[in-house]
């Protein structure tokens, strides 16, 4: 007996795939962040602690924002719009990185690394943090 895929099953599969992909992109941004910052600050504990701190703060804010938005506008078009906006911010990282990190270099290795990581990575990480709670809300059949 052959199983047929329902529309709901198809949507659920792509929702899971979206969450998985967003999580993978978050991890890639952190790893690539160290490579982007290495020419200016080396591969030091300041770089890694700055990247991890910025990622945790941005993701926490994104989780909160994602739940808030999902309760008000639960639709897949909003979810994928947020992902598209995150991708636009990610496209700006290589364009802005040298100017931002050269300006941040004046603050020294400790504060410059944090400032540079915050400017370059907060927006895309925050927007990618929106994905998980949004997907949870969209996959619920009954919110009670």
């Amino acid at each position: 007996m052959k199983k047929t895929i329902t529309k709901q099953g198809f949507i659920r599969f792509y929702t899971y795939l979206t969450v998985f992909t967003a999580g993978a992109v978050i991890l890639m941004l952190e790893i690539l962040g160290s490579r982007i910052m290495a020419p200016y600050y080396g591969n030091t504990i300041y770089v890694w602690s700055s990247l991890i701190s910025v990622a945790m703060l941005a993701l926490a804010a994104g989780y909160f924002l994602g739940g808030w938005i999902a309760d008000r506008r639960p639709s897949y078009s909003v979810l994928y719009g947020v992902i598209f906006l995150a991708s636009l911010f990610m496209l700006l990282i290589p364009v802005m990185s040298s100017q931002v990190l050269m300006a941040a270099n004046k603050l020294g290795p400790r504060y410059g690394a944090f400032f540079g990581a915050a400017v370059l990575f907060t927006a895309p990480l925050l927007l990618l943090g929106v994905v998980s709670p949004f997907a949870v809300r969209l996959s619920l059949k009954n919110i009670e």
Side-chain angles (χ1 to χ4, degrees), residues 25-104:
V25 170
I26 289 168
L27 183 59
M28 284 187 253
L29 267 177
E30 289 184 58
I31 293 168
L32 288 173
S34 71
R35 302 294 296 162
I36 290 169
M37 295 178 69
Y40 299 90
Y41 299 105
N43 201 2
T44 64
I45 193 161
Y46 297 132
V47 169
W48 280 104
S49 60
S50 296
L51 285 168
I52 292 169
S53 298
V54 167
M56 293 292 113
L57 290 169
L59 289 174
Y63 296 149
F64 174 80
L65 186 63
W68 186 80
I69 293 171
D71 283 341
R72 283 151 184 77
R73 301 234 6 214
S75 75
Y76 284 97
S77 60
V78 173
L79 172 64
Y80 288 107
V82 167
I83 294 170
F84 179 74
L85 188 59
S87 69
L88 292 179
F89 278 109
M90 283 186 274
L91 285 173
L92 291 176
I93 291 172
V95 174
M96 296 176 18
S97 63
S98 62
Q99 293 90 355
V100 168
L101 293 173
M102 284 174 55

Side-chain angles (χ1 to χ4, degrees), residues 37 50 54 100-101 103-105 107 110-120:
M37 295 178 69
S50 296
V54 167
V100 168
L101 293 173
N105 212 9
L107 299 173
R110 188 176 298 168
Y111 299 112
F114 183 78
F115 178 77
V119 170
L120 292 173

Side-chain angles (χ1 to χ4, degrees), residues 8 11-12 15-16 19 74 76 132-143:
Q8 187 65 27
I11 291 171
R12 179 170 284 156
T15 303
Y16 292 156
V19 172
Y76 284 97
S132 292
F134 211 104
V136 168
R137 172 62 173 87
L138 290 175
S139 62
L140 291 176
K141 293 178 184 170
N142 186 1
I143 61 171

